[in-house]
Amino acid sequence: MSSLSQGIHNAVCIGVIFTGKHQSFNRPLPKVTILWEITENEKIKTFSRDYTYSYYEKAELRLHLESWRGRPFTATELSKFKLRNILGVPCKLEIAKNNKNYKQVENVYRFPAKEQAPKRKSELIYFDISDKTTYSAIPNIPYYIIEKIKKSPEYKQSSLEL
């Protein structure tokens, strides 16, 4: 990920991975990692961002999803929204350095209809630690995300072996 240049990139969402609860703001909160595929200089790269799984109006996840859609959610849309529906959806990703000098997803933008959308090369990954029917995705989850899953209380309480 560090080899990806800063700026705006064409991307496709290839992963939605619910990693369980993790300490945040001195309490355990549910987390989700979103994974994107980006082609830069003829090479396929992946980039991810961890979010607190919250659709609260000021939550980073909701703000990024609304920017990606190009409009805010209505209450009805939000009540019916399934995060797995972003799999395979193209976007523009803004990559920038944070205050610790690490590159991160700064924002996610709607992909312009007039541009040719990037074609994904990777398998789509949907995993939810609380849903055993999604465990078949485990072989496709990047190692660093597996390590996050292993730190969750849900993993420690399960019979899952990663």
Side-chain angles (χ1 to χ4, degrees):
M1 291 190 297
S2 63
S3 65
L4 189 64
S5 65
Q6 292 185 80
I8 307 279
H9 298 273
N10 293 343
V12 177
C13 178
I14 59 165
V16 174
I17 304 158
F18 290 92
T19 60
K21 290 183 179 175
H22 298 273
Q23 281 300 116
S24 189
F25 304 109
N26 297 319
R27 65 182 190 273
L29 295 172
K31 299 289 185 170
V32 62
T33 300
I34 298 179
L35 188 63
W36 292 273
E37 177 184 272
I38 299 166
T39 303
E40 183 179 64
N41 300 326
E42 310 282 326
K43 293 182 181 172
I44 297 170
K45 300 178 181 189
T46 58
F47 209 85
S48 64
R49 170 88 189 246
D50 295 333
Y51 294 92
T52 297
Y53 181 57
S54 170
Y55 295 140
Y56 172 70
E57 65 185 39
K58 293 183 181 181
E60 195 90 43
L61 177 60
R62 180 172 173 173
L63 295 173
H64 281 188
L65 289 170
E66 289 180 339
S67 178
W68 192 344
R69 312 172 74 224
R71 62 186 172 84
F73 284 103
T74 65
T76 302
E77 288 171 333
L78 198 56
S79 70
K80 295 178 183 179
F81 183 74
K82 303 280 187 242
L83 194 55
R84 75 180 313 153
N85 291 343
I86 66 173
L87 286 169
V89 177
C91 63
K92 296 276 188 174
L93 272 190
E94 181 179 0
I95 307 298
K97 287 188 178 178
N98 64 16
N99 58 3
K100 294 181 182 175
N101 213 27
Y102 292 112
K103 292 179 188 167
Q104 71 174 21
V105 173
E106 188 70 23
N107 210 337
V108 185
Y109 302 106
R110 182 178 185 87
F111 198 86
K114 64 183 184 275
E115 287 186 35
Q116 172 116 13
K119 304 283 187 228
R120 71 174 169 81
K121 312 272 188 298
S122 305
E123 291 289 319
L124 297 178
I125 304 166
Y126 180 76
F127 175 82
D128 184 341
I129 193 161
S130 64
D131 181 357
K132 290 182 181 185
T133 66
T134 67
Y135 286 12
S136 62
I138 291 170
N140 297 322
I141 299 173
Y143 176 77
Y144 69 96
I145 299 174
I146 292 287
E147 291 304 304
K148 289 176 195 169
I149 294 167
K150 286 180 178 180
K151 292 177 183 173
S152 73
E154 292 87 346
Y155 174 76
K156 292 172 184 164
Q157 293 169 2
S158 76
S159 59
L160 179 63
E161 290 190 29
L162 300 175

